[in-house]
Amino acid sequence: MRYQPDHKLEARARLIEAAGRGFRRRGYGGIGVDGLAKEAGVTSGAFYGHFKSKDAAFEEALLAGLEELRAAVLGMQEQHGAAWAEALVDFYLGEKRTCELGASCALQSLTPDVQRADPALKALFESKVKSLAAAIAQGLTGDDAQRSAKAWALIAILTGAVTLARSVDDPATADQIAASARSSALALVNGS
């Protein structure tokens, strides 16, 4: 059977997406290649046909997840105009906080594993996060330094709040964390 020319690229994209779900759900140390292959619905051999190692799959999943977030920011800026930041804050503290962990944001769910990664992965992560911060900054007010500072603070508020809210057992406490973070994030963005 002959495959279409883009079949391998599509298969790889599906594997990256599945690996991302597996890593977000279970963490780097909580899932192996067999689990990642199962998440993707392929054999371990097929998995190794696309990735030389679990580390390589983690890198690809992390970078794809961060790019997905950057693209979402740019999409919200385009779709919501001046109200984009509030839409982002509400989406991140709402849907991305309460969704199934496998569908959560890579920035919030995979960063703890990056802390323990080698310098090469940290450098790739830093590059992608800087690109995310630049995308956020372009939609904010102020001079370059002010927009950059606001962007980094917004990233920290949102990812920290979601991480903390997902880590408590009481839904009311999680909601309180999200509401407090929302107020702080919007005050930051609106300059109050």
Side-chain angles (χ1 to χ4, degrees):
M1 174 179 181
R2 284 189 132 343
Y3 289 108
Q4 296 294 326
D6 57 351
H7 172 78
K8 188 166 182 155
L9 291 175
E10 289 173 5
R12 183 176 178 81
R14 285 192 306 273
L15 282 169
I16 291 169
E17 183 180 321
R21 281 192 312 271
F23 285 126
R24 287 189 303 271
R25 191 178 291 128
R26 304 211 17 222
Y28 181 86
I31 194 165
V33 169
D34 290 343
L36 293 169
K38 183 177 179 183
E39 182 78 35
V42 300
T43 65
S44 296
F47 183 87
Y48 279 120
H50 289 272
F51 304 106
K52 66 179 180 174
S53 66
K54 178 179 157 181
D55 287 350
F58 181 79
E59 179 181 309
E60 292 284 338
L62 174 67
L63 298 179
L66 294 175
E67 181 54 33
E68 180 181 320
L69 177 56
R70 190 186 74 78
V73 166
L74 295 174
M76 286 192 174
Q77 288 171 347
E78 186 176 318
Q79 180 180 0
H80 297 282
W84 77 270
E86 185 171 357
L88 174 68
V89 167
D90 289 342
F91 174 72
Y92 205 88
L93 294 174
E95 184 177 328
K96 283 301 180 182
R97 174 178 65 92
T98 60
C99 66
E100 189 272 324
L101 193 55
S104 66
C105 177
L107 184 61
Q108 167 264 318
S109 57
L110 299 181
T111 297
D113 288 316
V114 175
Q115 294 176 56
R116 293 178 277 283
D118 64 37
L121 183 60
K122 285 183 175 185
L124 287 171
F125 175 83
E126 181 179 343
S127 173
K128 281 291 188 185
V129 173
K130 283 181 175 179
S131 179
L132 170 63
I136 290 171
Q138 81 179 14
L140 299 173
T141 60
D143 63 31
D144 287 348
Q146 291 167 328
R147 289 194 321 269
S148 180
K150 286 180 184 180
W152 285 116
L154 185 59
I155 290 168
I157 289 168
L158 295 178
T159 58
V162 172
T163 300
L164 190 58
R166 280 187 171 274
S167 299
V168 299
D169 189 45
D170 178 32
T173 302
D175 289 344
Q176 184 178 13
I177 292 165
S180 298
R182 182 182 191 278
S183 295
S184 295
L186 293 179
L188 171 81
V189 167
N190 297 323
S192 48

